[in-house]
Amino acid sequence: MSEKTQWLQEVIEALEELGGQATLVDIYNKVEDRNKVDLSSYIDWKSQIRKHIYLNSSDTDIFKGSIGDNTDLFYSIEGKGKGIWGLRSFEPKGNNVDLTEDDLGFIEGKKRLRQHIYRERNPKVIRMAKEKFKQENNGRLFCEICGFDFYETYGEVGEDFIEGHHTVPVSQLEEGQVTKVEDIAIVCSNCHRMLHRTRPWLTKEQLKSLLKK
């Protein structure tokens, strides 16, 4: 295996173990913990990680491939310069599926829930929903319910931040049913919490009507 291939594979496997998304610091620590590469032979081994991420991400200025091709492996979670990266091809395994508030209250237990999410939910769907929303709204991300825009309020620290709400609870998914982009609502943190205040959950329209009173 060439040095280039070794480092690229190492970054991919580290991100897979971290759940598909991680900060550069977390990736550094994971590579150290894995101990699959002789780091002592490098003056600055962390630069190897950054280089192989940047060379294989269309979110950077040094990427030489085409968007979406087989070299476009990584994406920036919160925009350039934030140091948080994701693996485009990541698929969840039973032991690395993160539970979200949208999944709480599942009656069949945490282990069964994780297996269900693994089978039925695509971990890339929220990212795809955000990208689609930005394309349809001149590059902006704002709450579909109250209109709150994190970037307008907080500046750079709020850029590209928003939450994705699964409008169909995982407990209601039928066998073989998968979450589609259309099943994701783009919402702020406050509205996301309010959607979950009742059982069954409020719909976007119901919460909007409460705001108008």
Side-chain angles (χ1 to χ4, degrees), residues 14-26:
L15 270 169
E16 287 177 340
E17 292 183 16
L18 289 165
Q21 299 179 357
T23 65
L24 281 171
V25 173
D26 286 337

Side-chain angles (χ1 to χ4, degrees), residues 58 63-72:
S58 58
F63 178 68
K64 303 300 184 184
S66 300
I67 295 176
D69 69 11
N70 59 5
T71 65
D72 192 9

Side-chain angles (χ1 to χ4, degrees), residues 35-75:
N35 197 30
K36 298 291 183 65
V37 179
D38 181 12
L39 303 180
S40 64
S41 62
Y42 295 88
I43 297 175
D44 182 10
W45 59 267
K46 294 178 181 179
S47 68
Q48 294 294 323
I49 292 175
R50 295 192 299 272
K51 179 178 76 173
H52 284 84
I53 290 175
Y54 299 164
L55 286 173
N56 291 276
S57 173
S58 58
D59 289 339
T60 69
D61 297 329
I62 65 173
F63 178 68
K64 303 300 184 184
S66 300
I67 295 176
D69 69 11
N70 59 5
T71 65
D72 192 9
L73 303 177
F74 310 105
Y75 66 96

Side-chain angles (χ1 to χ4, degrees), residues 104-170:
L104 297 180
F106 190 72
I107 61 175
E108 298 182 65
K110 184 176 291 187
K111 181 178 179 181
R112 182 74 177 277
L113 168 59
R114 287 181 182 274
Q115 292 171 344
H116 194 88
I117 296 173
Y118 168 57
R119 288 198 310 270
E120 314 297 356
R121 281 195 170 166
N122 186 329
K124 295 181 287 187
V125 71
I126 290 182
R127 174 170 58 85
M128 293 167 62
K130 290 180 180 180
E131 291 177 355
K132 180 175 182 290
F133 190 88
K134 287 177 70 174
Q135 291 173 0
E136 294 173 348
N137 292 278
N138 299 315
R140 291 182 60 216
L141 282 174
F142 56 87
C143 180
E144 292 185 59
I145 295 172
C146 71
F148 185 84
D149 184 321
F150 283 90
Y151 179 68
E152 285 188 354
T153 302
Y154 297 107
E156 289 187 4
V157 72
E159 186 176 6
D160 280 336
F161 181 81
I162 201 74
E163 296 186 10
H165 166 67
H166 290 82
T167 58
V168 180
V170 68

Side-chain angles (χ1 to χ4, degrees), residues 116 119-121 172-180:
H116 194 88
R119 288 198 310 270
E120 314 297 356
R121 281 195 170 166
Q172 294 180 13
L173 290 175
E174 298 178 358
E175 190 68 28
Q177 182 180 353
V178 296
T179 302
K180 303 184 293 294

